[in-house]
Coordinates of all heavy atoms in Angstrom, one line a residue:
D294 N 114.5 -203.7 41.9 CA 114.3 -202.3 42.0 C 113.5 -201.8 40.8 O 112.6 -200.9 40.9 CB 115.6 -201.5 42.1 CG 116.3 -201.8 43.4 OD1 115.7 -202.4 44.3 OD2 117.5 -201.5 43.5
V295 N 113.8 -202.3 39.6 CA 113.1 -201.8 38.4 C 111.8 -202.5 38.1 O 110.8 -201.8 37.7 CB 114.0 -202.0 37.1 CG1 113.3 -201.6 35.8 CG2 115.3 -201.2 37.3
L296 N 111.7 -203.8 38.3 CA 110.5 -204.5 38.0 C 109.7 -205.0 39.2 O 108.6 -205.6 39.0 CB 110.8 -205.7 37.1 CG 111.5 -205.4 35.7 CD1 111.8 -206.7 35.0 CD2 110.6 -204.5 34.9
G297 N 110.2 -204.8 40.4 CA 109.5 -205.2 41.6 C 109.5 -206.7 41.8 O 108.6 -207.3 42.4
F298 N 110.5 -207.4 41.2 CA 110.6 -208.8 41.3 C 111.0 -209.3 42.7 O 112.0 -208.7 43.2 CB 111.7 -209.3 40.3 CG 112.0 -210.8 40.4 CD1 111.2 -211.8 39.7 CD2 113.1 -211.2 41.2 CE1 111.5 -213.1 39.9 CE2 113.4 -212.6 41.3 CZ 112.6 -213.5 40.6
E299 N 110.3 -210.2 43.3 CA 110.7 -210.9 44.5 C 110.6 -212.4 44.3 O 109.6 -212.9 44.0 CB 109.8 -210.5 45.7 CG 109.8 -209.0 46.1 CD 111.1 -208.7 46.9 OE1 111.9 -209.6 47.3 OE2 111.3 -207.4 47.0
A300 N 111.7 -213.1 44.6 CA 111.6 -214.6 44.4 C 110.7 -215.1 45.5 O 110.7 -214.7 46.7 CB 113.0 -215.2 44.6
R301 N 109.8 -216.0 45.1 CA 108.9 -216.6 46.1 C 109.4 -218.0 46.6 O 108.9 -218.5 47.5 CB 107.5 -216.9 45.4 CG 106.9 -215.5 44.9 CD 105.6 -215.7 44.2 NE 105.1 -214.4 43.8 CZ 104.6 -214.2 42.6 NH1 104.5 -215.1 41.7 NH2 104.2 -213.0 42.3
Y302 N 110.4 -218.5 45.9 CA 111.0 -219.8 46.3 C 112.4 -219.6 46.8 O 113.1 -218.7 46.4 CB 111.0 -220.8 45.1 CG 109.6 -221.3 44.8 CD1 108.7 -220.6 44.1 CD2 109.3 -222.6 45.2 CE1 107.4 -221.1 43.8 CE2 108.0 -223.1 44.9 CZ 107.1 -222.4 44.2 OH 105.9 -222.9 43.9
D303 N 112.9 -220.6 47.6 CA 114.3 -220.7 47.8 C 114.6 -222.2 47.7 O 113.7 -223.0 47.4 CB 114.7 -220.2 49.2 CG 114.0 -220.9 50.3 OD1 113.4 -222.0 50.1 OD2 114.0 -220.4 51.5
V304 N 115.9 -222.6 47.8 CA 116.3 -223.9 47.5 C 115.6 -224.9 48.4 O 115.2 -226.0 48.0 CB 117.9 -224.1 47.5 CG1 118.3 -225.5 47.5 CG2 118.5 -223.3 46.4
A305 N 115.4 -224.6 49.7 CA 114.8 -225.5 50.6 C 113.4 -225.8 50.2 O 112.9 -227.0 50.2 CB 114.8 -224.9 52.0
R306 N 112.7 -224.8 49.8 CA 111.3 -225.0 49.3 C 111.2 -225.8 48.0 O 110.4 -226.7 47.8 CB 110.6 -223.6 49.2 CG 109.1 -223.8 49.1 CD 108.4 -222.4 49.2 NE 107.0 -222.6 48.7 CZ 106.3 -221.7 48.0 NH1 106.8 -220.5 47.8 NH2 105.1 -222.0 47.6
G307 N 112.2 -225.5 47.1 CA 112.3 -226.2 45.9 C 112.6 -227.7 46.1 O 112.0 -228.6 45.5
A308 N 113.5 -228.0 47.1 CA 113.9 -229.4 47.4 C 112.7 -230.1 48.0 O 112.5 -231.3 47.7 CB 115.1 -229.4 48.3
Q309 N 111.9 -229.4 48.8 CA 110.7 -230.1 49.4 C 109.8 -230.4 48.3 O 109.2 -231.5 48.3 CB 110.1 -229.1 50.4 CG 109.0 -229.6 51.2 CD 109.4 -230.8 52.1 OE1 110.4 -230.7 52.7 NE2 108.5 -231.8 52.1
Q310 N 109.6 -229.5 47.3 CA 108.7 -229.8 46.2 C 109.2 -231.0 45.4 O 108.4 -231.9 45.0 CB 108.7 -228.5 45.3 CG 107.8 -228.6 44.1 CD 108.2 -227.5 43.1 OE1 109.3 -227.1 42.9 NE2 107.2 -227.1 42.3
L311 N 110.5 -231.1 45.2 CA 111.1 -232.2 44.5 C 110.8 -233.5 45.2 O 110.4 -234.6 44.7 CB 112.6 -232.1 44.3 CG 113.0 -230.9 43.3 CD1 114.5 -230.7 43.3 CD2 112.5 -231.3 41.9
L312 N 111.0 -233.5 46.6 CA 110.8 -234.7 47.4 C 109.3 -235.2 47.2 O 109.1 -236.4 47.0 CB 111.0 -234.4 48.9 CG 110.6 -235.5 49.9 CD1 111.5 -236.7 49.7 CD2 110.8 -234.9 51.3
E313 N 108.4 -234.2 47.2 CA 107.0 -234.6 47.0 C 106.7 -235.2 45.7 O 106.0 -236.2 45.6 CB 106.1 -233.4 47.3 CG 105.9 -233.1 48.8 CD 105.6 -231.7 49.1 OE1 104.9 -231.0 48.3 OE2 105.9 -231.3 50.2

Side-chain angles (χ1 to χ4, degrees):
D294 296 346
V295 175
L296 298 179
F298 172 87
E299 291 289 346
R301 297 180 183 134
Y302 283 80
D303 59 16
V304 168
R306 196 168 163 215
Q309 186 62 42
Q310 184 200 26
L311 290 172
L312 173 64
E313 281 157 27

